[in-house]
């Protein structure tokens, strides 16, 4: 979205849609009819005999009469679609219905033909929710037979920007916890054998060179060069926004360490590029090693 | 004692099998036994992958196999494909079992999709889970991305272009186009299609990645003595081998000197040629594991079909295409036929030895099959009697 399309713009658009008031009547495809009533009762498991006996439709079925079929054409007058389009354009692309409250004024009778009119009545936002930042808005729909209102519905949805999922957390063992304790402090620690001095990454409990079980560590200078890299596009990876660059970096000390190459235009990534370490703080107990082009 | 594959069976290959992985396994095993002319009561051994969700005893129960004297599972994903046959051969050769069935059944498209980020793998309370911690949180979290890291280094060290990768896909899809069992039957692609397909993880495109499939394949293994009385001509197992390389990881062996290659396949190759007595020049048909195209190039090098860094040139003159000097994956491979974790490739090798393949190579000699790459792996060579 463009930076100019901010909360004030969303509210302006909402005011315009609210001011337009109730949409023109959209007439039901069919009149209230008993075959459709029977299908609905059967699907719902409702065996109340009153509908068949008196030629009535169940009130909870009201919305069914004005449903627009499996392949509905866009309705330029629908305030729900209009408001959703505004929020889509502003990046609030996901949707969840939160409330639906229906009020029935009377039973519908066989042969009556209903029409529905809708208006936008309320919008609030932006709100922080568990799903992500979003806007709640409410439409009110009224079903009429002629000029007589027979049912109303308040329908509330949340349009939101899905929050990026948090990065995957590493499994930490007693052999590797020194590394993750270091990244939280802003240190890139390299495993070192306290017996023979060998450096190694990734680490383990034993020295593959001399066999000693005396692991220690040194703090890396934090500079190196890109040994290889990928530009990741699909599928989504939690904690990273595609496309992103992941680089295998050979540190000055000689070991290789993996990390995201931050704020890097994919076209600028190349093998041999000098980088320095940075740390992406996930929370108080976890920071991930990452790189920036020097 | 000589040991042979005497029966092959498979389900259809699809994107949504509509049934359990156990049911797929049982269908494939029954089909393989029927192909061999054997009954479930003849079976006394079952082998599968550690990744298979149907245990040997679950399959035995459904088949009505009364007793098993040998059962086993081989690890490291698709690296197990030929390892399961090695287990069966060893069991028969050692007299631990007479008839061993190898199987792999998976709903890899409609169920658990390996190409997605696996939270289970990333969070496993095992040494593999700890290994994953050096890659998954940093964003390298899918098989395609893990292969792309090696492929990028390969291009850097040896030159060449992603068109070299594309030629593998083109050849596989050309073979699949004439295989009625292949998902991509009658749907060949061009190099231009490959180059135009979307990026997955650069330098890998969509058409560098194998498909996702539902299905199952089973193989019946027994002694050559017993095979002579059975329905099908035996495919003799001339050699099998497993291998892992220096500083080996599952898909992320980025910390050893040799990153732009497959040293574990080199370990396998040395054993295979030595045990079988064959050399690369003897092989006219190879079923090379093709979950991602760059590793096919690196396999050609590790197996000795061409020198290091030369696979691109080896491919460029049509060597792996129908009628070429080394016909590669004549069933269409996992890029074209189906992704049954490499076991469908062993079934194809059996058909080539029998002379019943849809894209049969005449006068073919020994057939080489490899298993998953980037992981501890395996391979085998089949030949006629």
């Amino acid at each position: 979205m463009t930076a100019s399309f901010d909360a004030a713009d969303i509210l302006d658009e909402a005011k315009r849609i609210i001011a337009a008031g109730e949409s023109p009547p959209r007439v039901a495809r069919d009149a209230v009819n008993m075959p459709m009533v029977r299908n609905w009762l059967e699907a719902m498991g409702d065996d109340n005999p009153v509908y068949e006996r008196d030629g009535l439709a169940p009130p909870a079925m009201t919305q069914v009469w004005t449903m627009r079929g499996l392949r509905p054409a866009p309705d330029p007058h629908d305030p729900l679609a209009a408001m959703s389009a505004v929020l889509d354009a502003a990046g609030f692309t996901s949707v969840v219905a939160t409330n639906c409250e229906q009020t029935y004024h009377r039973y519908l009778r066989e042969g009556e033909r209903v029409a529905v009119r809708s208006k936008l009545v309320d919008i609030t936002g932006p709100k922080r929710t568990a799903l992500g930042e979003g806007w709640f808005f409410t439409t009110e729909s009224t079903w009429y037979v002629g000029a007589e209102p027979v049912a109303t519905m308040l329908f509330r949805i949340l349009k939101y920007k899905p929050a990026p999922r948090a990065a995957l957390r590493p499994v930490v063992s007693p052999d590797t916890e020194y590394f993750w304790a270091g990244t939280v402090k802003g240190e890139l620690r390299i495993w070192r054998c306290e017996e023979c001095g060998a450096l190694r990454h990734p680490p383990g409990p034993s020295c593959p060179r001399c066999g000693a079980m005396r692991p220690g560590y040194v703090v890396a200078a934090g500079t190196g060069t890109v040994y290889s890299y990928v530009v990741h596009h699909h599928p989504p990876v939690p904690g990273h926004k595609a496309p992103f660059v992941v680089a295998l970096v050979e540190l000055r000390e000689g070991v290789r360490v993996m990390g995201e190459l931050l704020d890097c235009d994919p076209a600028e990534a190349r093998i041999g590029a000098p980088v320095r370490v940075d740390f992406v703080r996930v929370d108080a107990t976890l920071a991930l090693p990452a790189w920036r082009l020097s | 004692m000589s040991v042979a594959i005497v029966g092959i069976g498979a389900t259809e290959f699809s994107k949504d099998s509509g049934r359990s992985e156990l049911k797929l396994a049982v269908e494939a095993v029954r089909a393989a036994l029927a192909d061999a002319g054997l009954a479930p009561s003849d079976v006394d051994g079952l082998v599968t992958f550690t990744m298979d969700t149907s245990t040997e005893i679950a399959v035995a129960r459904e088949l009505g196999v009364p007793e098993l004297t040998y059962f086993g599972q081989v690890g490291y994903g698709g690296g197990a494909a030929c390892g399961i046959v090695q287990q069966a051969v060893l069991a028969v050769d050692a007299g631990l079992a007479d008839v061993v069935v190898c199987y792999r059944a998976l709903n890899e498209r409609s169920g658990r999709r390996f190409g997605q980020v696996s939270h289970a793998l990333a969070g496993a309370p095992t040494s593999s889970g700890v290994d994953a911690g050096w890659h998954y949180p940093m964003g390298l979290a899918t098989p395609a991305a893990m292969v792309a890291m090696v492929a990028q280094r390969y291009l850097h060290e040896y030159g060449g272009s992603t068109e070299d990768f594309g030629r593998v896909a083109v050849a596989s899809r050309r073979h699949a186009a004439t295989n009625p069992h292949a998902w991509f039957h009658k749907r060949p692609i061009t190099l231009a299609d490959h180059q135009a397909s979307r990026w997955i993880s650069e330098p890998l495109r969509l058409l560098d990645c194998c498909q996702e499939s539902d299905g199952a394949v089973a193989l019946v293994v027994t002694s050559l003595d017993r095979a002579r009385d059975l329905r099908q001509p035996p495919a003799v197992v001339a050699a099998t081998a497993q291998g892992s390389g220096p500083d080996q990881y599952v898909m992320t062996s980025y910390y050893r000197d040799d990153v732009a290659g497959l040293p574990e396949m080199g370990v396998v190759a040395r054993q295979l040629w030595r045990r079988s007595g064959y050399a690369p020049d003897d092989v006219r048909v190879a079923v090379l594991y093709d979950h991602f195209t760059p590793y096919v190039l690196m396999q050609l090098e590790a197996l000795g079909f061409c020198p290091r860094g030369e696979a691109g040139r080896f491919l460029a003159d049509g060597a792996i295409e129908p009628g070429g000097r080394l016909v590669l994956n004549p069933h269409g491979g996992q890029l074209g036929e189906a992704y049954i974790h490499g076991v469908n490739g062993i079934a194809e090798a059996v058909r080539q030895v029998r002379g019943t393949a849809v894209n049969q190579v005449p006068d073919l000699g020994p057939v080489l099959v490899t298993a998953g790459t980037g992981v501890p792996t395996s391979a085998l060579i089949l030949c006629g009697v």
Side-chain angles (χ1 to χ4, degrees), chain B residues 211-283:
Chain B
Q211 43 183 325
E212 302 175 280
S213 304
D214 287 10
V217 175
L219 314 162
V220 182
V221 175
T222 192
S223 67
L224 188 55
D225 284 347
R226 185 153 187 187
R228 294 184 204 282
D229 301 328
L230 297 178
R231 185 172 290 161
Q232 301 288 355
V236 177
V237 182
T240 63
Q242 288 186 305
S244 85
D247 211 5
Q248 180 79 53
Y249 286 80
V250 173
M251 299 298 284
T252 57
S253 299
Y254 304 141
Y255 307 97
R256 57 192 180 190
D257 293 339
D258 190 5
V259 171
L262 293 167
E264 52 279 353
M265 194 58 84
V267 174
V268 167
R270 289 199 304 272
Q271 299 174 75
L272 271 190
W273 302 133
R274 190 180 71 235
R275 284 191 201 127
S276 69
Y278 292 118
D281 278 350
D282 299 321
V283 178

Side-chain angles (χ1 to χ4, degrees), chain A residues 58-63 99-108 116 139-144 148-155:
Chain A
M61 198 181 164
T62 302
Q63 199 178 0
N99 302 79
C100 180
E101 186 183 323
Q102 299 190 350
T103 306
Y104 312 119
H105 306 312
R106 68 161 172 84
Y107 287 99
L108 289 173
V116 64
T139 57
E140 183 183 310
S141 300
T142 305
W143 282 263
Y144 296 90
E148 179 197 5
V150 292
T152 54
M153 175 175 77
L154 288 171
F155 188 66

Side-chain angles (χ1 to χ4, degrees), chain B residues 56-72:
Chain B
E56 307 93 304
I57 55 171
V59 172
R61 284 198 306 264
E62 299 311 309
L63 291 170
V65 170
E67 295 177 349
L68 292 174
T69 60
Y70 188 80
F71 36 86

Side-chain angles (χ1 to χ4, degrees), chain A residues 67-87:
Chain A
M67 282 184 175
R68 297 190 293 158
L70 293 178
R71 284 171 289 277
D75 178 356
H77 304 296
D78 177 16
L80 190 135
M83 195 65 236
S84 293
V86 170
L87 290 165

Side-chain angles (χ1 to χ4, degrees), chain A residues 64-232:
Chain A
V64 170
W65 303 112
T66 51
M67 282 184 175
R68 297 190 293 158
L70 293 178
R71 284 171 289 277
D75 178 356
H77 304 296
D78 177 16
L80 190 135
M83 195 65 236
S84 293
V86 170
L87 290 165
D88 282 339
F92 299 92
T93 51
S94 294
V95 64
V96 59
T98 61
N99 302 79
C100 180
E101 186 183 323
Q102 299 190 350
T103 306
Y104 312 119
H105 306 312
R106 68 161 172 84
Y107 287 99
L108 289 173
R109 287 183 287 274
E110 192 175 3
E112 289 182 322
R113 190 179 284 259
V114 295
V116 64
R117 305 181 67 181
S118 300
K119 59 186 176 185
L120 180 66
V121 293
D122 182 50
I123 182 161
T124 56
K127 299 275 192 191
R128 295 190 75 89
T129 77
L131 294 170
E133 187 184 74
W135 293 74
F136 291 91
F137 70 87
T138 308
T139 57
E140 183 183 310
S141 300
T142 305
W143 282 263
Y144 296 90
V145 174
E148 179 197 5
V150 292
T152 54
M153 175 175 77
L154 288 171
F155 188 66
R156 191 165 191 240
I157 68 174
L158 167 66
K159 287 281 288 175
Y160 64 96
K161 286 180 189 172
R165 293 191 55 189
L168 291 162
R169 302 187 77 88
V171 174
V172 180
S173 89
D175 305 324
T176 66
E177 58 189 0
Y178 77 93
F179 180 90
W180 301 106
T183 54
V184 165
K185 291 183 181 167
E187 291 180 1
L188 184 62
R189 296 176 176 175
I190 307 173
W191 184 99
R192 181 178 65 185
C193 174
E194 298 296 353
E195 189 71 31
C196 74
L199 299 180
R200 176 191 185 198
H201 184 86
S206 168
C207 177
R209 189 164 82 177
C210 77
M213 302 266 244
R214 293 182 55 211
Y217 68 84
V218 293
V219 177
T223 56
T225 55
V226 173
Y227 186 83
S228 192
Y229 69 95
V230 306
V231 182
H232 190 81

